[in-house]
Amino acid sequence: MFRVLQMLTLCFAITVLGCSKNQLEQCNDNTPLYTLADFPIGVAISPTQLEYNSDYRRIAFAQFNRFTPENALKPEALHPEQNAYSFFVADSLVALALQHEKTIHGHTLVWHNQLPSWMQNFKGNKQEWIDMMKVHIQTIVSHFADKVPSWDVVNEAFEDNGEFRENIWVENIGKDYIKLAFEFAREANPDALLFYNDFNVAEKSKKCKAIVEHLSQLKEDGVPIHGMGMQLHIFNSSPSENAIKTAVDAFVEKGFLMHFSEIDISMNANGDMKLTDGKLQKQGRRMKALVHIFQQIPTDQQFGITVWGISDIDSWIPSFFGREDYPLMYNENYEPKPMYCGFREGLVN
Ligand code: XIL
């Protein structure tokens, strides 16, 4: 009886104090995230921030063991002219990362955004387009062959409705450009792990189905596609965790390595941003749930979890979408938010 009373009192206290079982424990970041995980923990990195911002640098090196250059390995950064490559910034970033024993994930070889203008305006027949894409992929992959062990080869090739996205590649080469891109990448580095990467995969079931079917078919045909990058630019409110799990399972069943490749959790879905403790807690629980979904993937298919930046003020979301937002694990003072604690709790519980 005494026990029962004790339990009731405890439950009452917990409810009154707002300390429900959903409340994340406050935490610090003294124990690096990557030391708590059995798989790599990654972050999108800006070379400028890494060089000039000491808080950013401290956290990047302390917490993570994989870096995805956020923009520095994109076509417009590396391949500004048809016959000229610009490797200096990328090489310095990669060298610094390797000195600190970080792994690099390469992002991205073939995409419709952040292309140099010569590429967008390239004129040629189908074979000339194929040759151009081949030289682009192979020059970059070979350049980093002993330093970058994995690549997003093709990024965002499908529309939300499951159709192929219209882009310069499909228009000039045809749907086979995906298969060719992966084959060219393998020729340049037979040891690299090669990924397809996309967003809205949990939100849009037609998109998810189309990608699963396309990648599985290519894999059956012997095309070297090893993994799927689910970007996971998600909201506090959607998609549901069930929808995320369903999408993950669809790729896992087909044997793909899984990368949660660009996580951020936006709080401002409809433009009325007000930062509340409740929203921060919710964001933390979302992060924890993502980690738990990832942990249910068979270990030999767990490529890793990557967040798309360090602090809210480094995030691409406010400037890209023109809205106030707080989608990352650290606040503007580089202090860990509940989202960080959610990541941590997900790894340890
Ligand atoms: C974003 C970068 O974070 C921004 O700095 C840049 O201005 C635009 O691109 N999907 C991707 C990433 O695959 O490359 C994008 O990164 C975010 C959406």
Side-chain angles (χ1 to χ4, degrees):
M1 185 62 189
F2 178 67
R3 274 276 152 81
V4 174
L5 270 177
Q6 224 180 8
M7 286 297 285
L8 283 175
T9 319
L10 190 69
C11 290
F12 178 74
I14 284 172
T15 317
V16 167
L17 295 173
C19 183
S20 76
K21 76 177 184 351
N22 279 338
Q23 191 81 5
L24 292 163
E25 304 226 346
Q26 280 201 343
C27 75
N28 60 42
D29 63 352
N30 294 344
T31 312
L33 285 177
Y34 80 84
T35 62
L36 302 170
D38 300 327
F39 45 82
I41 304 291
V43 61
I45 287 290
S46 142
T48 323
Q49 285 287 70
L50 196 65
E51 186 168 351
Y52 295 110
N53 180 335
S54 56
D55 289 322
Y56 183 100
R57 185 167 55 242
R58 172 179 50 77
I59 295 168
F61 286 136
Q63 297 295 324
F64 304 96
N65 56 354
R66 174 182 282 144
F67 288 180
T68 302
E70 186 172 355
N71 293 298
L73 298 186
K74 287 175 177 171
E76 72 175 359
L78 291 183
H79 198 173
E81 304 290 339
Q82 186 171 358
N83 297 312
Y85 292 80
S86 162
F87 287 121
F88 182 77
V89 174
D91 281 348
S92 318
L93 174 59
V94 167
L96 188 61
L98 293 179
Q99 259 173 36
H100 287 258
E101 295 176 358
K102 310 301 172 193
T103 313
I104 310 288
H105 178 67
H107 172 82
T108 177
L109 296 165
V110 175
W111 194 21
H112 62 280
N113 274 335
Q114 293 180 276
L115 297 173
S117 60
W118 73 265
M119 199 179 263
Q120 264 165 318
N121 299 316
F122 184 77
K123 300 272 176 286
N125 60 28
K126 178 172 170 176
Q127 191 54 49
E128 286 163 333
W129 270 88
I130 293 175
D131 293 343
M132 182 271 272
M133 184 177 81
K134 179 175 181 177
V135 172
H136 168 74
I137 293 174
Q138 296 199 333
T139 307
I140 293 172
V141 172
S142 318
H143 178 86
F144 294 105
D146 54 346
K147 300 193 171 72
V148 176
S150 60
W151 282 96
D152 291 333
V153 177
V154 176
N155 199 30
E156 304 179 351
F158 286 85
E159 296 283 1
D160 285 353
N161 63 8
E163 299 290 322
F164 267 68
R165 181 190 290 279
E166 285 192 20
N167 61 24
I168 55 168
W169 310 108
V170 85
E171 274 161 27
N172 292 288
I173 298 177
K175 294 180 179 173
D176 258 8
Y177 86 88
I178 299 185
K179 158 185 148 72
L180 291 170
F182 279 88
E183 289 174 345
F184 293 152
R186 174 178 52 188
E187 272 175 30
N189 181 357
D191 298 327
L193 293 174
L194 305 178
F195 285 77
Y196 175 80
N197 191 53
D198 215 329
F199 64 97
N200 272 0
V201 177
E203 292 83 341
K204 304 289 175 186
S205 55
K206 283 189 181 153
K207 181 173 195 170
C208 185
K209 189 162 176 279
I211 299 173
V212 171
E213 280 171 8
H214 193 76
L215 299 192
S216 306
Q217 186 58 54
L218 293 181
K219 195 164 176 248
E220 267 176 43
D221 297 345
V223 178
I225 297 190
H226 305 108
M228 173 65 197
M230 284 177 62
Q231 294 183 8
L232 292 167
H233 298 291
I234 62 171
F235 290 93
N236 247 357
S237 45
S238 68
S240 72
E241 276 133 35
N242 275 342
I244 298 172
K245 173 88 171 80
T246 302
V248 170
D249 288 347
F251 290 98
V252 167
E253 246 173 60
K254 298 290 183 180
F256 292 105
L257 283 173
M258 294 306 294
H259 187 196
F260 286 3
S261 56
E262 304 185 11
I263 293 178
D264 41 40
I265 307 178
S266 172
M267 294 187 172
N268 190 356
N270 42 25
D272 60 350
M273 187 64 228
K274 195 162 161 257
L275 194 57
T276 62
D277 192 47
K279 284 185 187 170
L280 289 166
Q281 284 290 324
K282 176 112 189 266
Q283 189 185 41
R285 291 196 298 274
R286 290 283 270 171
M287 188 65 231
K288 182 171 173 179
L290 288 182
V291 175
H292 281 165
I293 292 170
F294 191 83
Q295 286 168 329
Q296 288 168 50
I297 296 168
T299 47
D300 60 348
Q301 285 172 263
Q302 295 176 342
F303 182 71
I305 297 186
T306 299
V307 288
W308 207 240
I310 291 181
S311 88
D312 290 333
I313 50 172
D314 306 312
S315 167
W316 70 301
I317 286 183
S319 60
F320 196 88
F321 296 103
R323 64 168 191 250
E324 186 179 346
D325 220 319
Y326 304 90
L328 292 173
M329 295 198 295
Y330 285 82
N331 69 17
E332 70 277 17
N333 299 317
Y334 290 87
E335 294 153 351
K337 291 163 55 188
M339 181 173 163
Y340 177 92
C341 306
F343 200 145
R344 194 183 183 289
E345 270 190 34
L347 291 173
V348 297
N349 298 322

